[in-house]
């Protein structure tokens, strides 16, 4: 068979005529053998022509894990296409709760660009299954659907794949901090107006039990850190002792907050925030208390914090939350607060939220991050 490979290649490169066949067959010593060779070449000619036209198709080269969908859990998804026409694009979906949800967000752009090498890449919220459609520019995809569009018309190809099974030999990283178990984030998330990656290596506890969070440079930009409690605490007082934040760059953000990524709406995730950042503007105030949604003027209070160790707390009750910041790490009933504010409007009811601590980069800041930033949280306390 190896001796016929160059012939087949030549035949597929230009039309085969009778002279070609007879000249190749003349090298065979008898008539029967020559006929066999002619038949063999005709078969290869037809076979090569059939494979010369590729049907449009979509393939996956990187598949996220299978997981229950959630607003806060994202990962990259990648693939390639065959038989793509100019201007065609990819539409991505993730399946969760029996429905397909367009990815990565239900807003423009709804399409994923196909690169010149026929590869595509984007981010997606996690789900049990993932789908990629190769479509014409005129195609208008549904944002949520129970049944995926079929191939035909403006839909050139459809591919569906189940999510990867999590590797039991590589469980998520856990930290024990201040008497509680905290899960360390390793998935992508949308933070401060841009996609943020998180590296478990950027969160650790030292010999004294203090929690360290760090933002480091990688090949794609900045990699950040986040930890979250493994259980919900509900109403009560949440207290955080934080070392000096005065060294943080203007686009670094330290958040102490509650969040429920499974239940609620985009504007109501049981989210209460103490945030320390200048949001990319060097002369901005460096801290704020927030009851979400933040864009309601009465739901946000900004102020300046001094250098040194500070204690931040919020007392969460039905219909009310009181935020307070003290100087130092030893808080007593006689301590005078540096700042305090009581919110009584839009205060969420307790649900499935958990306390979280993260350090990330505000991607839209005027003063972009220049170096690695690190913060230390000495203690966390909860009082019912």
């Amino acid at each position: 068979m190896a001796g016929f490979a160059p012939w087949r290649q030549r035949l597929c490169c230009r039309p085969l005529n009778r002279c070609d066949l007879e000249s190749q067959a003349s090298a065979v010593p008898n008539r029967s053998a020559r006929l066999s060779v002619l038949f063999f070449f005709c078969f290869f000619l037809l076979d090569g022509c059939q494979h010369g036209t590729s049907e449009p198709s979509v393939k996956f080269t990187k598949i996220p894990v299978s997981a229950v969908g959630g607003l806060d859990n994202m990962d990259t998804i990648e693939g390639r296409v065959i038989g793509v026409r100019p201007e065609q694009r990819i539409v991505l979906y993730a399946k969760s709760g029996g429905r397909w949800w367009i990815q990565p967000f239900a807003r423009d752009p709804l399409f994923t660009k196909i690169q010149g090498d026929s590869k595509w890449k984007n981010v997606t919220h996690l789900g049990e299954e993932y789908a990629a459609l190769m479509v014409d520019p005129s195609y208008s995809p549904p944002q949520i659907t129970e049944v995926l569009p079929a191939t035909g018309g403006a839909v050139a190809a459809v591919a569906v794949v189940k999510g990867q099974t999590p590797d039991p030999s590589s469980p998520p990283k856990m930290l024990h901090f201040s008497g509680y178990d905290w899960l360390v984030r390793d998935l992508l998330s949308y933070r401060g107006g841009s996609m943020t990656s998180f590296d478990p290596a950027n969160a650790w506890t030292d010999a004294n039990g203090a929690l360290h969070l760090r933002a480091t440079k990688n090949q794609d930009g900045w990699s950040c850190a986040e930890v979250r409690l493994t259980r919900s605490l509900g109403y009560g007082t949440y207290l955080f002792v934080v070392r000096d934040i005065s060294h943080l760059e203007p686009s670094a953000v330290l958040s102490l907050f509650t969040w429920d990524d499974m239940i609620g709406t985009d504007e109501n995730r049981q989210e209460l925030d103490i945030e320390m950042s200048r949001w990319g503007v060097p002369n901005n105030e460096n801290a704020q208390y927030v009851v979400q949604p933040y864009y309601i003027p009465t739901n946000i209070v900004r102020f300046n914090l001094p250098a040194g160790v500070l204690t931040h707390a919020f007392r969460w009750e039905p219909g009310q939350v009181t935020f307070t910041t003290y100087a130092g790490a030893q808080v007593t009933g006689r301590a005078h607060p540096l700042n305090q504010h009581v919110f009584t409007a839009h205060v969420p009811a307790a649900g499935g939220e958990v306390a979280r601590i993260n350090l990330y980069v505000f991607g839209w800041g005027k003063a972009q991050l220049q170096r690695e930033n690190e913060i230390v949280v000495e203690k966390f306390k909860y009082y019912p």
Side-chain angles (χ1 to χ4, degrees):
M1 291 295 293
F4 290 115
W7 293 354
R8 182 186 179 188
Q9 181 180 6
R10 184 174 61 191
L11 291 173
C12 291
C13 292
R14 63 181 175 84
L16 188 69
N17 58 44
R18 182 178 177 181
C19 293
D20 290 323
L21 293 176
E22 289 179 348
S23 63
Q24 296 293 342
S26 64
V28 183
N30 58 67
R31 184 173 183 275
S32 177
R34 288 199 298 270
L35 291 175
S36 297
V37 172
L38 286 172
F39 177 82
F40 186 82
F41 275 104
C42 289
F43 173 82
F44 265 67
L45 175 62
L46 292 173
D47 181 66
C49 292
Q50 287 174 352
H51 287 81
T53 302
S54 299
E55 290 294 326
S57 64
V58 182
K59 307 292 183 182
F60 294 94
T61 57
K62 183 181 184 301
I63 305 169
V65 298
S66 175
V68 176
L71 179 66
D72 200 36
N73 295 324
M74 305 183 75
D75 200 357
T76 55
I77 186 169
E78 301 176 28
R80 59 185 177 83
V81 297
I82 297 173
V84 62
R85 298 196 305 271
E87 305 300 325
Q88 284 186 324
R89 299 174 275 187
I90 295 293
V91 176
L92 295 173
Y93 286 94
K95 190 175 186 180
S96 180
R99 293 193 289 178
W100 292 97
W101 305 76
I102 200 165
Q103 299 299 318
F105 302 105
R107 62 173 184 265
D108 290 334
L110 298 177
F111 300 98
T112 297
K113 184 179 179 180
I114 300 172
Q115 304 300 323
D117 58 2
S118 297
K119 296 180 180 179
W120 54 266
K121 178 180 180 180
N122 209 330
V123 296
T124 177
H125 293 85
L126 299 186
E128 295 92 18
E129 295 180 71
Y130 303 94
L133 286 61
M134 185 163 65
V135 302
D136 294 340
S138 60
Y139 182 67
S140 179
Q143 294 187 1
I144 304 172
T145 181
E146 294 185 0
V147 180
L148 290 172
T151 302
V155 180
V158 177
V160 179
V161 66
K162 291 185 179 298
Q164 297 277 15
T165 301
D167 185 357
S169 65
S170 301
K173 182 179 177 179
M174 300 284 292
L175 294 177
H176 192 71
F177 166 59
S178 289
Y180 293 88
D181 289 325
W182 302 75
L183 181 66
V184 182
R185 170 176 283 280
D186 61 356
L187 294 171
L188 298 172
S189 184
Y190 199 71
R191 292 281 189 272
S194 60
M195 194 58 59
T196 300
S197 66
F198 292 87
D199 186 348
N202 286 342
W204 72 95
T205 53
D206 61 26
N208 297 318
L211 173 68
H212 293 246
L213 302 177
R214 181 173 57 188
T216 59
K217 191 76 171 179
N218 62 25
Q219 60 182 5
D220 297 320
W222 293 98
S223 185
C224 304
E226 178 176 306
V227 299
R228 64 177 177 88
L229 281 178
T230 57
R231 61 189 179 95
S232 178
L233 301 176
Y235 292 124
T237 298
Y238 296 71
L239 184 146
F240 309 82
V241 178
V242 180
R243 288 186 196 166
D244 185 20
I245 66 161
S246 62
H247 66 281
L248 289 179
E249 292 186 64
S251 286
V253 185
L254 172 64
S255 293
L256 318 170
F257 64 114
T258 59
W259 170 275
D260 183 353
D261 68 340
M262 298 305 300
I263 301 174
T265 65
D266 289 351
E267 296 179 357
N268 182 17
R269 297 280 173 178
Q270 284 80 42
E271 185 178 358
L272 305 169
D273 304 87
I274 302 171
E275 296 176 311
M276 283 150 273
S277 179
R278 298 186 187 276
W279 303 106
V281 180
N283 60 351
N284 266 356
E285 293 170 307
N286 66 354
Q288 62 188 30
Y289 302 141
V290 187
V291 173
Q292 297 293 340
Y294 70 91
Y295 51 77
I296 298 176
T298 56
N299 282 11
I300 184 169
V301 172
R302 288 194 57 79
F303 55 97
N304 266 319
L305 289 176
V309 176
L310 301 172
T311 297
H312 308 275
F314 58 86
R315 176 68 185 174
W316 188 15
E317 304 169 272
Q320 177 175 300
V321 59
T322 302
F323 288 91
T324 310
T325 298
Y326 302 91
Q330 301 298 321
V331 178
T332 68
R334 298 179 182 179
H336 181 72
L338 294 173
N339 201 77
Q340 187 174 67
H341 189 83
V342 180
F343 294 91
T344 56
H346 307 108
V347 176
E353 76 296 320
V354 296
R356 302 188 182 208
I357 307 171
N358 68 23
L359 178 68
Y360 68 94
V361 178
F362 181 58
W364 290 359
K366 293 182 179 179
Q368 292 292 303
L369 211 67
Q370 299 298 313
R371 64 183 187 278
E372 294 186 356
N373 280 240
E374 184 177 325
I375 199 69
V376 180
V377 182
E378 294 185 353
K379 187 184 301 181
F380 168 79
K381 290 288 186 181
Y382 168 76
Y383 304 98

